[in-house]
Structures are given as structure tokens and as C-alpha cells.
Amino acid sequence: MLQQFDERNRDIKVFIKDKLHHRDEAKVSVFDSSVQGGDAVWEGLRVYPEGVVCLDKHLTRLHESAKTLAFVDIPSKKAIKEAIQKTLDANGMNDEVHIRLTLTRGEKITSGMDPRVNQNGSCLIVLAEWKPLVYDNSSGIKVISTSQRRNAPQFLDSKIHHANLLNNILAKIQANVAGKDAGLMLDERGFVAELNGSNIFMVKEGVIYTPYAHACLPGITRGTVIELCKENNIPIEEADLTLSQLYNADGVFATGTMGELTPIIEIDGRAILDKNELQQKIRSLFKNNIKGYCEKLT
């Protein structure tokens, strides 16, 4: 599904480093590490009237990713929340908003890979847009398995939520060429990892399964679904899953901040049922509880 331009976003204000700019003037230096090498970390946030869903968990992951990459001058959670609030207030936003929160290593004194030439501190970017959920969750999506594999820890640890997304983008390109909504990525062993932009779950004989987080990002929404299952005595297991198991599942769905819970109705041309009672229960539990996971900024 191709996202469309929303006219409400034509004059939005974007927070960069320490101030707000009109979107047409919102820029980073050509010497910024995000431009030089994709050297940045990011989070996708969803805004509801009740607040930002799972905000503290997102900021914790941002901090941990930045620490792993040895960033210096990492802004505090308090400072980041203040920047988010300023951005939302400037745009009059409080619902149906997606925030792309990015922290780069900052501007370099000269181009190069060495982080020691980053001597100007990190750069925080808060890009808030009016945006509906990325998928139509009433009709579901069709996906195709891709040749592009998801990174394993020996190549690049998926626990780092970094901005170097080329392997995911290549998988999305394959899905686009095939006329499908998303690419289903395997790990280096051939087991299912995740979609190019979201986690995946499978329902089979009364049990919910999701891939181990070896090569996939252990997403925030993924964690929420696991938590809801445990709280409601629904069997949930992490496992190595094959494509054959997904083809023959009672139900399959994707999870992510930008899409919430999305039924997957086709994988590699195989139809997947979307009327599974347990899958419907999980979606209902999520819908009824998601606002309880929201956190006010002030």
C-alpha cells in the first residue's frame, strides 16, 4: 500500500537540534552522520488523544541503541519529551499522528567514517505528521518472501534500532516489484524473521507463535501483544518458524507502531485465513487496551 501526501502536512513544523523549522526549511548538514553513513538511531511513535503509546519504552530503546553505537551527548528523556511536546503544540496535533524521532551522531568537521570527527554533538530530529495507520487492517495485506535476509547479530545486531535500513528497503523493493504489500524476510538460517517493516505472529491450533528475536527487531508492539497474551492466559511461544508453517497457519498477522495489528491474508500466493477466533480475540484485546499504554508528555 502506497502512502499518500496529506494536505494537513504542507506547513508542519519540524524540530531539529534545538529549534523548530517549517518543513521546507528543515534540513541537516551534508556533514551530518546520517547523510554520511546512515549513522543514526530512530523510533516511530504513535500519538493518540491519551498520549504517545509506550513512550518510555521507545525512549529507552533509543538511548540503548545510541549507547551501543557509542554516541556522545545523548539528550535525556526529559529533553526529548520537551522537544516532542513543542513539535506537537506547534502543529496543533494530538491524534492520528506519526512521529519519526531520529537521533544522529551529529555533524562532522570533515567527511569520513571515524566518529572522532563528530565534534559538534548529536542532532535530535522530531518529525511529526498527520498520518493514518499504514495498512487497511480490515482487509489485510499480501506479502512475499524475499531473497534479502534479515541481519543476524554477527553482521549487525537487530537490537540496535539504527537508520541504516538498506536490507529492509531492498526487501520492500522486491515486494513492490511483485505487486505485494510487504516483504517477508528470513534469517541467515532460513527461518522467518519479520516483514521489512514490522514483526510477525502466527496462530496454530490455539497457540500464538512469533519468531525468536535473533534476527528481527523485538518491537514495542510485539512486546505489547506478548504481554496481552500472558495477561489473558493465551498460549504464546517464541519459536523458529519456517515458511511452510506460515503457509499452513490458522492465521498470521503483523504488528507495528504504524500499523497496529494487521492480518496477513496471503503469503507467496498461498491464501491465509483471516477469520480465526483466537486472532480476532488478540486484535480485540489490543484495540480495547492500546490507549492504556499511552503516556502523556506532561
Side-chain angles (χ1 to χ4, degrees), residues 95-168:
D95 191 18
E96 290 194 344
V97 172
H98 177 76
I99 298 174
R100 178 77 172 210
L101 182 70
T102 304
L103 183 68
T104 83
R105 196 184 296 272
E107 189 176 338
K108 298 173 179 289
I109 58 172
T110 184
S111 61
M113 191 181 298
D114 191 341
R116 290 175 298 180
V117 300
N118 288 80
Q119 297 177 14
N120 296 292
S122 60
C123 178
L124 179 68
I125 303 170
V126 184
L127 171 58
E129 297 178 274
W130 301 101
K131 187 174 288 191
L133 295 176
V134 68
Y135 296 126
D136 180 354
N137 291 344
S138 61
S139 60
I141 60 174
K142 298 179 180 181
V143 308
I144 186 170
S145 58
T146 68
S147 61
Q148 190 69 28
R149 299 301 175 95
R150 193 66 171 91
N151 290 322
Q154 69 265 40
F155 306 118
L156 182 57
D157 193 346
S158 64
K159 310 307 180 293
I160 308 170
H161 204 209
H162 56 81
N164 196 322
L165 301 173
L166 285 179
N167 68 333
N168 302 67

Side-chain angles (χ1 to χ4, degrees), residues 224-225 227-234 261 278-293:
T224 299
V225 169
E227 184 178 325
L228 286 171
C229 285
K230 291 179 178 179
E231 289 175 351
N232 290 275
N233 298 314
I234 297 172
L261 272 58
L278 184 54
Q279 183 169 318
Q280 297 297 331
K281 181 178 180 179
I282 291 294
R283 292 180 64 190
S284 178
L285 282 169
F286 184 88
K287 181 178 180 180
N288 294 335
N289 287 275
I290 186 61
K291 293 181 179 179
Y293 288 90

Side-chain angles (χ1 to χ4, degrees), residues 152-201:
Q154 69 265 40
F155 306 118
L156 182 57
D157 193 346
S158 64
K159 310 307 180 293
I160 308 170
H161 204 209
H162 56 81
N164 196 322
L165 301 173
L166 285 179
N167 68 333
N168 302 67
I169 292 169
L170 287 169
K172 177 59 175 168
I173 290 171
Q174 290 187 28
N176 290 348
V177 171
K180 304 303 178 183
D181 298 300
L184 176 57
M185 304 180 73
L186 310 181
D187 66 18
E188 85 287 1
R189 302 168 302 155
F191 291 108
V192 173
E194 61 183 348
L195 298 188
N196 62 270
S198 51
N199 292 122
I200 193 167
F201 286 78

Side-chain angles (χ1 to χ4, degrees), residues 189-250:
R189 302 168 302 155
F191 291 108
V192 173
E194 61 183 348
L195 298 188
N196 62 270
S198 51
N199 292 122
I200 193 167
F201 286 78
M202 179 187 86
V203 184
K204 186 68 173 181
E205 297 178 350
V207 180
I208 307 291
Y209 297 91
T210 193
Y212 287 115
H214 297 322
C216 76
L217 176 75
I220 305 297
T221 308
R222 174 185 182 271
T224 299
V225 169
I226 292 173
E227 184 178 325
L228 286 171
C229 285
K230 291 179 178 179
E231 289 175 351
N232 290 275
N233 298 314
I234 297 172
I236 176 81
E237 296 182 17
E238 291 182 289
D240 283 327
L241 303 173
T242 66
L243 282 172
S244 178
Q245 286 175 291
L246 262 65
Y247 296 155
N248 294 286
D250 297 327

